[in-house]
């Protein structure tokens, strides 16, 4: 299958999460997605680096999928001052504090997850190689949609009065009266 015929492509993307001590007594640690690793192998919270109390983990590897129907969103993301990958996480249900749910290059999809309030969405700077890979995909599949201005129909519909009122009211006395009112006109 040729590259132009593919509806989507994907690449494995490792997610690096940093744990630092909390600054209040109510939060023992703060977790933040800080980097992505294109082409990474599988991982399950593998410790990468420790610097005092700060620890970085390769938390998970998920596929970054690009769809040819979403190229407008990818263009929007690439045109940002700092292009980013969005990491969507939830509170961990198992042994780990966070579950990495999704990685996406679409700011629109990331906004949808952020709007629910159930997920934590982190913006991580995109590595140069990943920017080039996404840009190549967009260049291959993006088609600008031509704006077509609608034209108003010239027919005057305000001169006829058929359809005024509620058809459920039999009398002609008050066609604007609500059908459920107890007052009847004879």
């Amino acid at each position: 299958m040729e590259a132009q015929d593919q509806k989507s492509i994907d690449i494995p993307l490792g997610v690096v999460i940093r744990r630092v001590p909390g600054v209040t007594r109510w939060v023992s640690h703060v977790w933040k997605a800080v980097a992505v690793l294109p082409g990474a192998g599988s991982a399950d919270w593998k410790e990468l680096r420790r610097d005092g109390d700060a620890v970085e983990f390769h938390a998970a590897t998920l596929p970054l999928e690009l769809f040819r129907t979403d190229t407008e969103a990818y263009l929007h993301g690439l045109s940002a001052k700092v292009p980013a990958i969005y990491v969507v996480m939830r509170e961990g249900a198992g042994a780990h504090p966070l579950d990495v749910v999704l990685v996406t290059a679409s700011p629109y999809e990331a906004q949808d997850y952020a709007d629910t309030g159930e997920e934590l969405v982190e913006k991580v700077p995109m590595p140069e190689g990943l920017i080039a890979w996404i840009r190549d995909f967009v260049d291959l599949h993006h088609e600008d949609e031509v704006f077509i201005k609608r034209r108003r129909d010239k027919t005057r519909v305000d001169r006829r009065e058929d359809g005024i009122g509620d058809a459920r009211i039999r009398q002609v006395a008050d066609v604007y009266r609500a059908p459920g009112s107890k007052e009847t006109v004879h």
Side-chain angles (χ1 to χ4, degrees), residues 112-170:
D112 289 343
Y113 278 96
D115 285 346
T116 67
E118 295 178 15
E119 289 87 10
L120 174 65
V121 180
E122 296 279 347
K123 191 174 177 178
V124 177
M126 201 182 290
E128 290 295 323
L130 197 54
I131 292 172
W133 184 71
I134 294 171
R135 185 164 282 130
D136 289 345
F137 181 81
V138 169
D139 289 345
L140 186 62
H141 293 288
H142 184 69
E143 295 175 11
D144 285 325
E145 291 183 28
V146 178
F147 176 75
I148 300 172
K149 184 174 180 178
R150 292 184 340 181
R151 298 208 179 263
R152 187 174 287 206
D153 189 6
K154 302 284 187 207
T155 306
R156 296 283 308 257
V157 294
D158 60 340
R159 291 195 176 139
R160 287 183 286 157
E161 291 194 15
D162 51 326
I164 282 188
D166 192 327
R168 297 173 288 177
I169 300 175
R170 286 189 221 148

Coordinates of all heavy atoms in Angstrom, one line a residue, residues 112-170:
D112 N -10.5 18.3 23.9 CA -11.6 17.5 24.2 C -11.4 16.7 25.5 O -12.3 16.6 26.4 CB -12.0 16.5 23.1 CG -12.5 17.2 21.9 OD1 -12.9 18.3 22.0 OD2 -12.5 16.5 20.8
Y113 N -10.2 16.1 25.7 CA -9.9 15.4 27.0 C -9.8 16.4 28.2 O -10.3 16.1 29.3 CB -8.6 14.6 26.8 CG -8.8 13.3 26.2 CD1 -8.6 13.1 24.8 CD2 -9.3 12.2 26.9 CE1 -8.8 11.9 24.2 CE2 -9.5 11.0 26.3 CZ -9.2 10.8 24.9 OH -9.4 9.6 24.3
A114 N -9.3 17.5 27.9 CA -9.1 18.5 29.0 C -10.5 19.0 29.5 O -10.7 19.3 30.6 CB -8.2 19.7 28.6
D115 N -11.4 19.1 28.6 CA -12.8 19.6 28.9 C -13.5 18.7 29.8 O -14.4 19.2 30.6 CB -13.6 19.8 27.6 CG -13.2 21.1 26.8 OD1 -12.4 21.9 27.4 OD2 -13.6 21.2 25.7
T116 N -13.2 17.4 29.8 CA -14.0 16.5 30.7 C -13.6 16.7 32.1 O -14.5 16.4 33.0 CB -13.7 15.0 30.3 OG1 -12.3 14.7 30.6 CG2 -14.0 14.7 28.9
G117 N -12.4 17.1 32.4 CA -12.0 17.3 33.8 C -11.6 16.0 34.5 O -11.1 16.0 35.6
E118 N -11.8 14.9 33.9 CA -11.4 13.6 34.5 C -10.0 13.2 34.2 O -9.4 12.5 34.9 CB -12.3 12.5 33.9 CG -13.8 12.7 34.4 CD -14.7 11.6 33.8 OE1 -14.2 10.6 33.3 OE2 -15.9 11.8 33.9
E119 N -9.4 13.8 33.1 CA -8.0 13.4 32.7 C -7.1 14.6 33.0 O -7.5 15.8 33.0 CB -8.0 13.0 31.3 CG -8.6 11.7 31.0 CD -10.1 11.7 30.7 OE1 -10.6 12.8 30.5 OE2 -10.7 10.7 30.6
L120 N -5.8 14.3 33.1 CA -4.8 15.3 33.2 C -4.1 15.4 31.9 O -3.7 14.3 31.4 CB -3.8 14.9 34.3 CG -2.6 15.8 34.5 CD1 -3.0 17.2 34.9 CD2 -1.6 15.2 35.5
V121 N -4.1 16.5 31.2 CA -3.5 16.7 29.9 C -2.2 17.6 30.0 O -2.3 18.7 30.5 CB -4.5 17.3 28.9 CG1 -3.8 17.5 27.5 CG2 -5.8 16.5 28.8
E122 N -1.1 17.0 29.7 CA 0.2 17.7 29.8 C 0.7 18.0 28.3 O 0.6 17.1 27.5 CB 1.2 16.9 30.5 CG 0.9 16.6 31.9 CD 1.2 17.8 32.9 OE1 2.0 18.7 32.4 OE2 0.8 17.7 34.0
K123 N 1.2 19.2 28.2 CA 1.8 19.6 26.9 C 3.3 19.4 27.0 O 4.0 19.9 27.8 CB 1.5 21.1 26.7 CG 1.7 21.6 25.3 CD 1.2 23.0 25.3 CE 1.5 23.6 23.9 NZ 1.0 25.0 23.8
V124 N 3.9 18.6 26.1 CA 5.3 18.2 26.1 C 5.9 18.7 24.8 O 5.4 18.4 23.7 CB 5.5 16.7 26.2 CG1 6.9 16.3 26.2 CG2 4.8 16.2 27.5
P125 N 7.0 19.4 24.8 CA 7.7 19.8 23.6 C 8.0 18.7 22.6 O 8.4 17.6 23.1 CB 9.0 20.5 24.0 CG 8.7 20.9 25.5 CD 7.8 19.8 26.0
M126 N 7.7 18.9 21.4 CA 7.9 17.9 20.3 C 9.4 17.9 19.9 O 9.9 18.9 19.5 CB 7.0 18.2 19.2 CG 6.7 17.1 18.3 SD 5.6 17.6 16.8 CE 4.1 17.9 17.6
P127 N 10.0 16.7 19.9 CA 11.4 16.6 19.3 C 11.5 17.0 17.8 O 10.5 16.8 17.1 CB 11.8 15.2 19.6 CG 10.9 14.6 20.5 CD 9.6 15.4 20.4
E128 N 12.6 17.5 17.4 CA 12.7 17.9 16.0 C 12.4 16.8 15.0 O 11.7 17.1 14.0 CB 14.1 18.4 15.7 CG 14.5 19.7 16.4 CD 13.6 20.9 15.9 OE1 13.4 21.0 14.7 OE2 13.2 21.7 16.7
G129 N 12.8 15.6 15.2 CA 12.6 14.5 14.3 C 11.1 14.2 14.2 O 10.6 13.9 13.1
L130 N 10.4 14.3 15.3 CA 8.9 14.1 15.3 C 8.2 15.2 14.5 O 7.2 14.9 13.8 CB 8.4 14.0 16.7 CG 7.1 13.3 16.9 CD1 7.0 11.9 16.3 CD2 6.8 13.2 18.4
I131 N 8.7 16.4 14.7 CA 8.1 17.5 13.9 C 8.2 17.2 12.4 O 7.2 17.4 11.7 CB 8.8 18.9 14.3 CG1 8.5 19.3 15.7 CG2 8.4 20.0 13.3 CD1 9.3 20.5 16.2
A132 N 9.4 16.8 12.0 CA 9.6 16.5 10.6 C 8.7 15.4 10.1 O 8.1 15.4 9.0 CB 11.1 16.2 10.3
W133 N 8.5 14.3 10.9 CA 7.7 13.2 10.6 C 6.2 13.6 10.4 O 5.6 13.2 9.4 CB 7.9 12.1 11.6 CG 7.1 10.8 11.4 CD1 7.5 9.9 10.4 CD2 6.0 10.3 12.1 NE1 6.6 8.8 10.5 CE2 5.7 9.1 11.5 CE3 5.2 10.8 13.1 CZ2 4.6 8.3 11.9 CZ3 4.1 10.1 13.5 CH2 3.8 8.8 13.0
I134 N 5.7 14.4 11.3 CA 4.4 14.9 11.3 C 4.2 15.8 10.1 O 3.2 15.8 9.4 CB 3.9 15.5 12.6 CG1 3.9 14.5 13.7 CG2 2.6 16.2 12.5 CD1 3.7 15.0 15.1
R135 N 5.1 16.7 9.9 CA 5.0 17.7 8.8 C 5.0 16.9 7.4 O 4.2 17.3 6.5 CB 6.2 18.7 8.8 CG 6.1 19.7 7.7 CD 7.0 20.9 7.9 NE 6.3 21.8 9.0 CZ 7.0 22.2 10.0 NH1 8.2 21.9 10.2 NH2 6.4 23.0 10.9
D136 N 5.8 15.9 7.3 CA 5.8 15.1 6.0 C 4.4 14.4 5.8 O 3.9 14.4 4.7 CB 6.8 14.0 6.1 CG 8.3 14.5 5.9 OD1 8.4 15.7 5.5 OD2 9.2 13.8 6.2
F137 N 3.8 13.9 6.9 CA 2.5 13.3 6.8 C 1.5 14.4 6.4 O 0.6 14.1 5.5 CB 2.1 12.7 8.1 CG 0.7 12.0 8.1 CD1 0.6 10.8 7.6 CD2 -0.4 12.7 8.6 CE1 -0.7 10.2 7.6 CE2 -1.6 12.1 8.6 CZ -1.8 10.8 8.1
V138 N 1.5 15.6 7.0 CA 0.6 16.6 6.7 C 0.8 17.1 5.2 O -0.2 17.3 4.5 CB 0.7 17.8 7.6 CG1 0.0 19.0 7.2 CG2 0.3 17.4 9.0
D139 N 2.0 17.2 4.8 CA 2.3 17.7 3.4 C 1.7 16.7 2.4 O 1.2 17.0 1.3 CB 3.8 17.8 3.2 CG 4.4 19.0 3.9 OD1 3.6 19.9 4.3 OD2 5.6 19.1 4.0
L140 N 1.7 15.4 2.7 CA 1.2 14.3 1.8 C -0.3 14.3 1.8 O -0.8 14.1 0.7 CB 1.8 13.0 2.3 CG 1.5 11.8 1.4 CD1 2.1 12.0 0.1 CD2 2.0 10.5 2.1
H141 N -1.0 14.6 2.9 CA -2.4 14.4 3.0 C -3.3 15.6 3.1 O -4.5 15.5 2.9 CB -2.7 13.4 4.1 CG -2.2 12.1 4.0 ND1 -2.7 11.2 3.1 CD2 -1.2 11.4 4.6 CE1 -2.0 10.0 3.1 NE2 -1.1 10.2 4.0
H142 N -2.7 16.7 3.4 CA -3.6 17.9 3.7 C -4.1 18.5 2.4 O -3.4 18.7 1.4 CB -2.8 19.0 4.5 CG -3.7 20.1 4.8 ND1 -4.7 20.1 5.8 CD2 -3.7 21.4 4.4 CE1 -5.3 21.2 5.9 NE2 -4.7 22.1 5.1
E143 N -5.4 18.8 2.4 CA -6.1 19.5 1.3 C -6.9 20.6 1.9 O -7.7 20.5 2.8 CB -7.1 18.5 0.6 CG -6.4 17.4 -0.1 CD -7.5 16.4 -0.7 OE1 -8.7 16.7 -0.7 OE2 -7.0 15.3 -1.0
D144 N -6.6 21.8 1.5 CA -7.3 23.0 2.0 C -8.7 23.0 1.5 O -9.0 22.7 0.4 CB -6.6 24.3 1.4 CG -5.3 24.6 2.1 OD1 -5.2 24.4 3.4 OD2 -4.4 25.2 1.5
E145 N -9.6 23.3 2.4 CA -11.0 23.3 2.1 C -11.3 24.7 1.6 O -11.0 25.7 2.3 CB -11.9 23.0 3.3 CG -11.8 21.6 3.8 CD -12.7 21.3 4.9 OE1 -13.8 21.9 5.1 OE2 -12.4 20.4 5.7
V146 N -12.0 24.8 0.4 CA -12.3 26.1 -0.1 C -13.6 26.6 0.6 O -14.6 25.9 0.8 CB -12.6 25.9 -1.6 CG1 -13.1 27.2 -2.3 CG2 -11.4 25.3 -2.4
F147 N -13.5 27.8 1.0 CA -14.6 28.5 1.7 C -15.6 28.9 0.7 O -15.4 29.5 -0.3 CB -14.2 29.7 2.5 CG -15.3 30.4 3.2 CD1 -15.9 29.9 4.3 CD2 -15.8 31.6 2.6 CE1 -17.0 30.5 4.9 CE2 -16.8 32.3 3.2 CZ -17.4 31.7 4.4
I148 N -16.9 28.4 0.9 CA -18.0 28.7 0.0 C -19.0 29.5 0.8 O -19.6 29.0 1.7 CB -18.6 27.5 -0.6 CG1 -17.6 26.7 -1.4 CG2 -19.8 27.9 -1.5 CD1 -18.1 25.3 -1.9
K149 N -19.1 30.8 0.4 CA -20.1 31.6 1.1 C -21.5 31.3 0.6 O -21.8 31.2 -0.6 CB -19.8 33.1 0.7 CG -20.7 34.1 1.5 CD -20.2 35.5 1.3 CE -21.1 36.4 2.1 NZ -20.8 37.8 1.9
R150 N -22.3 31.1 1.6 CA -23.7 30.8 1.3 C -24.4 32.0 0.8 O -24.2 33.1 1.2 CB -24.5 30.3 2.5 CG -24.0 29.0 3.0 CD -24.9 28.5 4.2 NE -25.6 29.6 4.8 CZ -26.4 29.5 5.9 NH1 -26.5 28.3 6.4 NH2 -27.0 30.5 6.4
R151 N -25.3 31.8 -0.2 CA -26.1 33.0 -0.7 C -27.5 32.8 -0.1 O -28.1 31.8 -0.1 CB -26.1 32.9 -2.2 CG -24.7 33.1 -2.8 CD -24.8 33.7 -4.1 NE -23.5 33.9 -4.7 CZ -22.8 35.0 -4.6 NH1 -23.3 36.1 -4.0 NH2 -21.6 35.1 -5.2
R152 N -28.0 34.0 0.3 CA -29.4 34.0 0.8 C -30.4 33.8 -0.3 O -30.3 34.4 -1.4 CB -29.6 35.3 1.5 CG -30.8 35.4 2.3 CD -30.9 36.7 3.1 NE -30.0 36.6 4.2 CZ -30.1 37.2 5.3 NH1 -31.1 38.1 5.4 NH2 -29.2 37.1 6.3
D153 N -31.4 33.1 0.0 CA -32.5 32.9 -0.9 C -33.3 34.2 -1.0 O -33.6 34.8 0.0 CB -33.4 31.7 -0.4 CG -34.4 31.3 -1.4 OD1 -34.4 31.8 -2.6 OD2 -35.3 30.5 -1.1
K154 N -33.6 34.6 -2.2 CA -34.2 35.9 -2.5 C -35.7 35.9 -2.2 O -36.4 36.9 -2.3 CB -34.0 36.4 -3.9 CG -32.5 36.6 -4.2 CD -31.9 37.8 -3.6 CE -30.5 38.0 -4.1 NZ -29.6 38.7 -3.3
T155 N -36.3 34.7 -2.0 CA -37.7 34.6 -1.8 C -38.2 35.3 -0.5 O -37.6 35.0 0.5 CB -38.1 33.1 -1.8 OG1 -37.6 32.4 -2.9 CG2 -39.6 32.9 -1.7
R156 N -39.2 36.1 -0.6 CA -39.7 36.8 0.6 C -40.7 35.9 1.3 O -41.8 35.6 0.7 CB -40.4 38.1 0.2 CG -39.5 39.1 -0.5 CD -38.7 39.9 0.6 NE -39.4 40.4 1.7 CZ -39.7 41.7 1.8 NH1 -39.4 42.6 0.9 NH2 -40.4 42.1 2.9
V157 N -40.4 35.4 2.4 CA -41.3 34.5 3.2 C -42.1 35.3 4.2 O -43.0 34.7 4.9 CB -40.5 33.4 3.8 CG1 -39.9 32.5 2.8 CG2 -39.5 33.9 4.8
D158 N -41.9 36.5 4.4 CA -42.5 37.3 5.5 C -43.9 37.8 5.0 O -44.6 38.5 5.8 CB -41.6 38.4 6.0 CG -41.3 39.4 4.9 OD1 -41.4 39.0 3.7 OD2 -40.9 40.5 5.2
R159 N -44.3 37.6 3.8 CA -45.6 38.2 3.4 C -46.8 37.3 3.6 O -47.9 37.7 3.6 CB -45.5 38.5 1.9 CG -44.5 39.7 1.6 CD -44.6 40.2 0.3 NE -43.7 41.4 0.2 CZ -43.0 41.6 -0.9 NH1 -43.0 40.9 -1.9 NH2 -42.2 42.7 -0.9
R160 N -46.5 36.0 3.8 CA -47.6 35.1 4.0 C -47.8 34.8 5.5 O -46.8 34.9 6.3 CB -47.3 33.7 3.3 CG -47.5 33.8 1.8 CD -47.2 32.5 1.2 NE -45.8 32.3 1.3 CZ -45.2 31.1 1.3 NH1 -45.9 30.0 1.2 NH2 -43.9 31.0 1.3
E161 N -49.0 34.5 5.9 CA -49.2 34.3 7.4 C -49.7 32.9 7.6 O -50.3 32.7 8.6 CB -50.2 35.3 7.9 CG -49.6 36.7 8.0 CD -50.4 37.7 8.8 OE1 -51.3 37.2 9.5 OE2 -50.2 38.9 8.7
D162 N -49.5 32.0 6.7 CA -49.9 30.6 7.0 C -48.9 30.0 8.0 O -47.7 30.3 8.0 CB -50.0 29.8 5.7 CG -48.7 29.9 4.9 OD1 -48.1 31.0 4.9 OD2 -48.3 28.9 4.3
G163 N -49.5 29.2 8.9 CA -48.6 28.6 9.9 C -48.5 29.4 11.2 O -47.8 29.1 12.1
I164 N -49.2 30.5 11.3 CA -49.2 31.3 12.5 C -49.9 30.6 13.6 O -51.0 30.1 13.4 CB -49.7 32.7 12.3 CG1 -48.7 33.6 11.5 CG2 -50.1 33.4 13.6 CD1 -49.1 35.0 11.4
G165 N -49.4 30.7 14.8 CA -50.1 30.1 15.9 C -49.8 28.6 16.1 O -49.0 28.0 15.5
D166 N -50.7 28.0 16.9 CA -50.5 26.6 17.2 C -51.7 25.9 16.6 O -52.9 26.2 16.9 CB -50.5 26.5 18.8 CG -50.1 25.1 19.2 OD1 -50.4 24.1 18.5 OD2 -49.5 25.0 20.3
A167 N -51.4 24.9 15.8 CA -52.4 24.1 15.1 C -53.4 23.4 16.1 O -54.5 23.0 15.7 CB -51.8 23.1 14.2
R168 N -52.9 23.1 17.3 CA -53.8 22.4 18.3 C -54.9 23.3 18.9 O -55.8 22.8 19.5 CB -52.9 21.9 19.4 CG -51.8 20.9 18.9 CD -50.9 20.5 20.0 NE -50.0 21.7 20.2 CZ -49.0 21.7 21.1 NH1 -48.9 20.7 21.9 NH2 -48.3 22.7 21.3
I169 N -54.9 24.6 18.6 CA -55.9 25.5 19.1 C -57.0 25.6 18.0 O -56.7 26.1 16.9 CB -55.3 26.8 19.5 CG1 -54.3 26.6 20.6 CG2 -56.4 27.8 20.0 CD1 -53.5 27.9 21.0
R170 N -58.3 25.3 18.3 CA -59.3 25.3 17.3 C -59.8 26.7 17.0 O -60.1 27.1 15.9 CB -60.5 24.5 17.8 CG -60.2 23.0 17.7 CD -61.5 22.3 18.0 NE -61.1 21.1 18.8 CZ -61.8 20.6 19.7 NH1 -63.0 21.0 19.9 NH2 -61.4 19.6 20.4

